[in-house]
Amino acid sequence: MASTAQRTPPAPLRAAAGLWRRIVRIDSASSGTSYYLILGATLALTAIGIMMVLSASSVESIAAGDSPYTAALKQGLFGALGLVGMLVLSRINVRWLKRLAWPGIGVTMVLLALVQLVGRRVLGNRNWIDIGGFSLQPSEFAKLLLALWMATILNKKAKLMDNWVHALIPVVPVGLGVAGLVILGHDLGTTLIILLIVVGALFYAGVPTRLFVTSGLLLALGAIGFAITSPNRMCRLYAWVGQTPDICTADGGDFTYQVQNGLFGLASGGWFGVGLGQSRQKYSWLPEAQNDFIFAVLGEELGLIGTLLVLGLFAVLAVAVFRVVSRQGELFPRILGGTIMAWILGQAALNMAMVTGIAPVIGVPLPFISSGGSALVSCLCAIGVVLSLAREDMRPTRRMREKVRKARAPRKGAVAPDRRPKASAAAPVAGRAARPSKAGSTSRAATPSSASSPSSASSSRNAAGRSSTAQSRGTNHAQRKATTNP
């Protein structure tokens, strides 16, 4: 009894295990819940983002002599383009995207190289190329294209994952090459997200644990190397741990200023916020209020309820995407979907940790909400890929429903069955009974089913008549024979 009680897990663990099985549900057919949860959460986050960009950027736009709606209209335009891309990708078979893997990674490397040559520097980072009055950030599109390329390569090497050469080459060198081109523009935040994408792809590819840990340590060392090679990044790390070396304050800089004002905004919001559009930190107190620190403005204007709403939407997105990825039987869609999940959710967690002071400030935007057209289009296109996987998961259920509907519907041109009660056997007609004979007995022994049919009844009457005629002829012949032979 005691041993049985020891083997039984506690009630909270059983409840958690039951909830986990209910969330994943790998063996059951999908009813489309994950598809609509992903779509609904994405649209809600995008709408909240456009609204918060309008609120956070209006003051600085007016101070610069522009319309207060300039940034919001531009964000809405990129949001519309991203929604079109999401819709198109959700209708395409994901396996067809393998054809774009090598051209995509090639274009990515070329654009990242061009950024270092002709790109525009903003706030110390060289990440943008001006094209037709718009600023394009190739490093944002590099995230999705790198995930697609890595999924394609690792899928081809599925049977060679035990060999460290095939497992790490060329995936890790190319990933480090993309990260190196981005870090040349002094963007540590995007570099860390790219390294996270590489780790996510290796994890979902099923790389052995020893190789996965080794590659993770190498990537972590690379990130540390990127951080210590820049005095600005080192001062941010010092500020995060509460230290202020003289090298960081020599030119009058305050690396804790942005984080402190972000926390002031979150604290002043209280439970329900100061009201939409009523933030005080966005009046040039909080740097990059519409970009990296838009979560602080959201918490100030919408309060704890607003921040919990955004957290809940990201949690719904995480559960639904994980559910879709867990149902994938093939390696390519599982790697691609899992890498996209690690990218978007990891970036969101890192941004919110940065705003709340849990992580150092490294310049990572909040997906779907922060201002930035390239980031918004890239994230929406990535969600379109996941929606395509969710639609494929819904197809068996759709086929089953179509079969049931066709089975229940009457066939075209078919005659409805006659549900009226069958008529009883016909009663014998008076005066037409056959004379007692062998044929007559045979006629009386007819089954009720044959008597019930008109054709069967007429044939029986004809047979009885022929029997009576034959009998009368036989009687006449016997009388004539008796007369001729006295």
Side-chain angles (χ1 to χ4, degrees):
M1 188 72 179
S3 60
T4 306
Q6 291 177 358
R7 288 195 299 267
T8 303
L13 292 180
R14 292 199 304 271
L19 178 61
W20 180 259
R21 288 192 298 268
R22 188 176 180 84
I23 290 175
V24 178
R25 281 179 150 186
I26 299 177
D27 299 331
S28 61
S30 174
S31 60
T33 305
S34 300
Y35 178 88
Y36 293 109
L37 285 177
I38 295 171
L39 181 61
T42 301
L43 294 178
L45 288 171
T46 304
I48 293 173
I50 296 174
M51 178 183 65
M52 293 310 305
V53 168
L54 172 62
S55 176
S57 64
S58 58
V59 174
E60 292 188 1
S61 297
I62 294 174
D66 298 329
S67 170
Y69 304 102
T70 301
L73 290 176
K74 189 177 294 185
Q75 186 78 357
L77 176 61
F78 281 108
L81 293 176
L83 290 176
V84 172
M86 181 181 72
L87 178 62
V88 172
L89 288 173
S90 67
R91 299 288 172 175
I92 294 178
N93 191 338
V94 175
R95 291 149 194 84
W96 184 86
L97 297 177
K98 294 179 182 179
R99 307 174 186 178
L100 304 178
W102 283 101
I105 197 66
V107 171
T108 297
M109 302 293 281
V110 171
L111 289 177
L112 290 177
L114 286 177
V115 167
Q116 307 307 320
L117 298 177
V118 297
R120 179 166 55 92
R121 185 181 294 273
V122 177
L123 298 176
N125 293 346
R126 189 188 296 273
N127 277 344
W128 290 267
I129 298 179
D130 293 329
I131 300 177
F134 292 95
S135 297
L136 179 67
Q137 191 174 359
S139 58
E140 292 294 335
F141 296 100
K143 300 173 183 177
L144 179 58
L145 295 175
L146 178 62
L148 175 62
W149 179 81
M150 294 181 67
T152 304
I153 298 300
L154 293 173
N155 179 63
K156 291 182 178 179
K157 294 188 173 185
K159 298 181 179 179
L160 303 174
M161 287 295 103
D162 292 334
N163 190 335
W164 70 272
V165 176
H166 291 282
L168 303 181
I169 299 175
V171 171
V172 174
V174 172
L176 291 177
V178 174
L181 290 174
V182 174
I183 200 62
L184 285 178
H186 304 283
D187 188 357
L188 178 61
T190 305
T191 302
L192 292 179
I193 299 302
I194 289 176
L195 296 180
L196 178 62
I197 290 173
V198 175
V199 172
L202 292 176
F203 175 79
Y204 277 97
V207 174
T209 306
R210 63 182 187 280
L211 297 180
F212 180 76
V213 173
T214 302
S215 59
L217 291 175
L218 292 176
L219 295 177
L221 291 175
I224 294 174
F226 292 149
I228 63 178
T229 54
S230 171
N232 182 277
R233 301 187 198 107
M234 286 301 301
C235 289
R236 291 183 182 184
L237 292 176
Y238 281 130
W240 177 55
V241 297
Q243 298 182 7
T244 55
D246 294 338
I247 190 175
C248 298
T249 58
D251 55 352
D254 186 1
F255 287 90
T256 63
Y257 177 81
Q258 191 175 21
V259 178
Q260 288 177 354
N261 283 277
L263 293 175
F264 289 159
L266 290 172
S268 60
W271 284 93
F272 302 102
V274 297
L276 189 62
Q278 303 300 317
S279 170
R280 293 182 289 271
Q281 295 298 322
K282 66 183 180 182
Y283 284 85
S284 301
W285 289 102
L286 181 62
E288 298 300 312
Q290 74 275 14
N291 292 326
D292 298 344
F293 274 72
I294 197 171
F295 188 70
V297 178
L298 186 146
E300 183 182 5
E301 294 186 351
L302 302 181
L304 180 64
I305 302 300
T307 57
L308 292 179
L309 173 62
V310 173
L311 284 173
L313 289 173
F314 275 111
V316 169
L317 187 64
V319 172
V321 174
F322 179 78
R323 190 173 178 180
V324 171
V325 172
S326 300
R327 292 170 178 268
Q328 301 304 313
E330 300 180 19
L331 186 61
F332 173 74
R334 185 166 68 247
I335 297 175
L336 183 57
T339 305
I340 291 174
M341 179 181 65
W343 154 30
I344 294 179
L345 299 177
Q347 182 171 328
L350 189 58
N351 175 271
M352 288 183 279
M354 177 184 71
V355 173
T356 55
I358 300 175
V361 178
I362 53 176
V364 175
L366 185 61
F368 307 110
I369 296 181
S370 293
S371 177
S374 300
L376 181 59
V377 172
S378 177
C379 289
L380 289 175
C381 290
I383 292 297
V385 175
V386 179
L387 287 177
S388 177
L389 298 177
R391 288 184 71 250
E392 289 185 1
D393 195 27
M394 292 168 57
R395 286 175 185 172
T397 305
R398 289 181 177 178
R399 291 197 208 101
M400 190 179 302
R401 290 176 179 173
E402 289 292 334
K403 288 181 180 180
V404 172
R405 187 161 50 247
K406 289 180 180 180
R408 291 180 178 178
R411 295 183 180 178
K412 187 176 181 180
V415 180
D418 188 5
R419 300 183 181 276
R420 293 177 298 178
K422 294 183 179 180
S424 58
V429 182
R432 291 191 180 183
R435 297 180 182 179
S437 63
K438 183 177 181 180
S441 63
T442 305
S443 175
R444 287 193 300 268
T447 59
S449 60
S450 62
S452 62
S453 176
S455 58
S456 300
S458 61
S459 60
S460 300
R461 288 195 297 269
N462 293 336
R466 287 193 297 269
S467 308
S468 301
T469 304
Q471 187 177 4
S472 61
R473 286 178 182 178
T475 305
N476 295 335
H477 177 71
Q479 291 176 356
R480 286 196 300 269
K481 188 175 180 181
T483 304
T484 53
N485 299 312

